[in-house]
Amino acid sequence: MTRKLTTLLLAATMLLGAVSASHAVDFKIKGVWNMNFEYGSGGNFTERGRSVNGNKAAHVTGWGRYGEDQFEAKSRVRLQLDAVASESLSGTVYFEIGGVTWGRSSKGGALGADGSNVVKIKHSYLDWVVPQTNVKVRMGIQRVFLPDFTTEASQAFDADVAGIVASAPINDNLSLSAFWVRPYNDNWAGDTQSPQNYLDNFDIFGLSAPVRLDGVNVTPWAMLGMFGSNTFRKGDDFYGKNSTGAGALGLAPAVYALKDSKVGRQLADAYSTVLWAGITGEVVKFDPFRVAASFNYGAVDTGVEALNRKGWYSALLAEYKLDWGTPGIYGWYSSGDDDNIKNGSERMPNVEANNESTNAMSSFGTLGTWTLGRDTLIGSTFAGTWGVGARVKDVSFFDKLKQTFHVNILGGTNSPSMAKYIKGAKGVDGHTSFTPDTGTGSADFNSANYYGLYLTSQDYAAEFGVTTTYQIYDNLRMLVEANYIALWLDQSRGVWGGYTATDGSRVGGNSTTDAWNVNVSFIYKF
């Protein structure tokens, strides 16, 4: 880390020298320091935050995501350097150091602080305006996301990705924004069936049209993507549990019981298509009363029905701003898998949703915090769930002190029959199903819902959270989060309960424990 940081500072010094000499470019620097201290327990988690649904051998004491302990201390630094030639031209590079887990050598936090792989480029892009127009263009590695006036965090697409974004006002009420991004390309190593880098790109094209009227804001949007048959391939597995990205991206279908079948190993089409469309809006005409709503739809077509995926999500929010805070109520619903494993998945696909935004409805159950605090107990998005909740936002009775409280009741929208496939009690047409959990750590429950729990319509949870922010100085604030999630999974034989395996042995049920965490962050931003 020392060598990399020295190189980084040397490069910045050379750039500053060049700028000072030419007097043609203004050099600006921004940054954020984040120090996080956290204690949490429960939930029975394994790596990447995914639940094991009772897999005791894989359980790590405490949270367990990325091998975390009950108590963790972490830090992260982000430095942004802007080279501004004019209002029409600038370049930005955004470095990230960390997150560093204190004491862990692989994260640069052990004695001597000589760990590697902790300094990276988060963003690197060029901003320019097309001459004689109002068209703004951003090219390079950047954050690209879709709008959502309810959750404030897209349930379909929010990612750091390489691409081009162009935007322009049409008139006082309408503007357009279009983008092309390339999440994956040239990563396939090749084999005897297809050469290296063949049919392994993933491209997404998007368009949004924000409309601003008197007291009403509405943004319709659409995205079209395509990925090759080798894009997510790993060995002989083209699109299943062991693929390199489909599960993580929320594009994988219901292959839970088909992972070893022929249909689970190949795609019918050279390129699969992905389509999303949505609309989100808010009514602020009756300020301080505000109403917001969102609707998203997404579908993946591979040419093989069992590998397809389609679904939708909607949300509604109503809130009223008072002098001391903003109380509100909200709800969401997202489609879930039906009981037919052969027709693909009915959960809405997504691409790295909630990556850099904060889900205003859930700080612990989903990716709801941009700090280093733990989250994603239920999942990275609301896919396959429903919920209702209430919150009081930005409560302030004292100077420099604000608090937000929220309570959610939620459940799954997936068919309870899917639990039989996931826990290994049922297969399909002789194909190998998931390995039953025998306490040896061999169960394959994780791929059912990457980054979280797979909840059926007979499973429920309650989430309680409070976030407190104290502004110590103008540039330094302390953020304290406390969260608790109570889980009620159906332990009947037809859902997550025990069953008799094909060899006549008795396999125990699958359950999770309640989870909680408390974390304190010190955030210095300049």
Side-chain angles (χ1 to χ4, degrees):
M1 175 178 176
T2 303
R3 293 180 179 177
K4 290 187 177 182
L5 187 57
T6 302
T7 303
L8 172 62
L9 294 175
L10 179 60
T13 302
M14 295 175 63
L15 181 58
L16 281 169
V19 171
S20 299
S22 64
H23 299 286
V25 175
D26 290 329
F27 187 83
K28 300 179 181 180
I29 184 170
K30 303 175 184 178
V32 179
W33 268 257
N34 191 335
M35 305 291 170
N36 178 267
F37 308 93
E38 182 167 44
Y39 189 91
S41 184
N44 282 12
F45 300 100
T46 181
E47 61 183 22
R48 288 196 291 277
R50 300 169 295 176
S51 75
V52 294
N53 285 18
N55 188 345
K56 300 179 181 62
H59 176 56
V60 179
T61 300
W63 182 270
R65 181 183 61 176
Y66 307 118
E68 291 170 331
D69 296 325
Q70 286 184 313
F71 174 76
E72 293 276 355
K74 302 176 184 177
S75 58
R76 181 179 66 200
V77 180
R78 289 177 173 176
L79 295 175
Q80 178 175 322
L81 294 86
D82 297 317
V84 182
S86 67
E87 293 183 355
S88 301
L89 177 61
S90 66
T92 296
V93 61
Y94 196 177
F95 298 98
E96 181 173 282
I97 306 172
V100 174
T101 301
W102 292 12
R104 185 178 298 180
S105 59
S106 62
K107 295 292 185 178
L111 184 66
D114 292 327
S116 58
N117 300 319
V118 293
V119 180
K120 61 184 180 182
I121 294 179
K122 183 174 178 61
H123 295 160
S124 178
Y125 54 81
L126 174 67
D127 283 323
W128 59 286
V129 177
V130 178
Q132 311 304 317
T133 72
N134 291 322
V135 179
K136 296 181 179 180
V137 180
R138 176 168 290 182
M139 310 168 68
I141 302 173
Q142 57 190 291
R143 179 192 171 199
V144 180
F145 62 97
L146 295 169
D148 194 309
F149 285 111
T150 57
T151 62
E152 301 175 20
S154 173
Q155 302 297 297
F157 185 35
D158 183 349
D160 292 333
V161 63
I164 301 174
V165 178
S167 58
I170 304 302
N171 53 43
D172 293 339
N173 304 113
L174 174 66
S175 60
L176 292 177
S177 179
F179 64 82
W180 161 64
V181 297
R182 173 160 279 188
Y184 289 99
N185 189 44
D186 292 346
N187 297 301
W188 168 236
D191 64 3
T192 57
Q193 299 178 6
S194 59
Q196 183 178 7
N197 302 334
Y198 180 66
L199 294 179
D200 68 346
N201 62 298
F202 184 17
D203 294 275
I204 301 176
F205 304 87
L207 178 67
S208 64
V211 179
R212 302 292 182 262
L213 302 174
D214 183 20
V216 179
N217 302 314
V218 179
T219 303
W221 57 265
M223 288 197 311
L224 177 65
M226 62 179 185
F227 56 86
S229 56
N230 293 326
T231 298
F232 303 120
R233 185 176 173 187
K234 184 177 181 180
D236 291 332
D237 192 346
F238 281 75
Y239 195 53
K241 170 180 170 291
N242 296 317
S243 62
T244 59
L249 290 173
L251 299 174
V255 295
Y256 317 134
L258 299 175
K259 68 186 183 69
D260 291 330
S261 69
K262 182 178 180 181
V263 73
R265 291 177 176 273
Q266 65 182 15
L267 300 178
D269 300 333
Y271 278 96
S272 299
T273 57
V274 193
L275 173 66
W276 289 272
I279 185 169
T280 184
E282 62 176 352
V283 178
V284 295
K285 186 177 182 65
F286 307 105
D287 184 63
F289 181 68
R290 172 179 175 262
V291 177
S294 295
F295 178 82
N296 297 179
Y297 173 83
V300 180
D301 184 5
T302 65
V304 178
E305 185 179 15
L307 299 182
N308 292 340
R309 184 183 181 105
K310 61 182 178 181
W312 57 276
Y313 140 85
S314 62
L316 183 65
L317 164 71
E319 58 184 3
Y320 193 91
K321 188 174 183 179
L322 301 171
D323 292 337
W324 51 267
T326 305
I329 57 175
Y330 50 83
W332 73 87
Y333 188 93
S334 180
S335 60
D337 291 328
D338 61 21
D339 60 359
N340 183 0
I341 202 169
K342 300 179 184 180
N343 66 357
S345 174
E346 287 71 40
R347 295 157 61 97
M348 189 181 78
N350 66 79
V351 181
E352 289 291 338
N354 296 0
N355 181 47
E356 282 297 316
S357 49
T358 57
N359 190 329
M361 295 182 182
S362 174
S363 61
F364 191 35
T366 67
L367 288 170
T369 174
W370 63 271
T371 67
L372 293 173
R374 300 165 181 172
D375 47 26
T376 67
L377 171 60
I378 304 300
S380 61
T381 71
F382 284 146
T385 69
W386 64 268
V388 293
R391 74 183 183 203
V392 184
K393 187 171 64 174
D394 297 333
V395 177
S396 181
F397 295 105
F398 302 97
D399 186 37
K400 298 182 180 181
L401 182 68
K402 289 185 178 181
Q403 291 181 299
T404 294
F405 305 86
H406 76 273
V407 178
N408 296 331
I409 303 297
L410 61 136
T413 59
N414 303 291
S415 171
S417 298
M418 292 302 299
K420 298 177 183 179
Y421 298 106
I422 296 171
K423 70 182 182 180
K426 188 176 181 180
V428 144
D429 296 341
H431 297 306
T432 304
S433 62
F434 276 173
T435 303
D437 176 23
T438 59
T440 62
S442 60
D444 290 319
F445 304 117
N446 294 334
S447 63
N449 187 30
Y450 200 89
Y451 283 125
L453 291 167
Y454 188 93
L455 298 180
T456 74
S457 58
Q458 295 179 207
D459 301 319
Y460 304 93
E463 177 182 2
F464 308 89
V466 55
T467 301
T468 302
T469 301
Y470 178 65
Q471 201 71 35
I472 302 175
Y473 297 113
D474 290 342
N475 298 92
L476 177 65
R477 64 188 176 105
M478 180 177 68
L479 188 150
V480 181
E481 288 185 312
N483 300 282
Y484 186 92
I485 287 186
L487 295 165
W488 298 279
L489 299 189
D490 189 321
Q491 293 302 306
S492 64
R493 182 177 179 181
V495 190
W496 300 113
Y499 66 96
T500 302
T502 55
D503 60 1
S505 61
R506 184 66 179 174
V507 181
N510 302 286
S511 63
T512 57
T513 60
D514 294 349
W516 60 271
N517 84 319
V518 177
N519 72 83
V520 180
S521 295
F522 294 87
I523 303 170
Y524 170 47
K525 185 176 182 179
F526 69 93

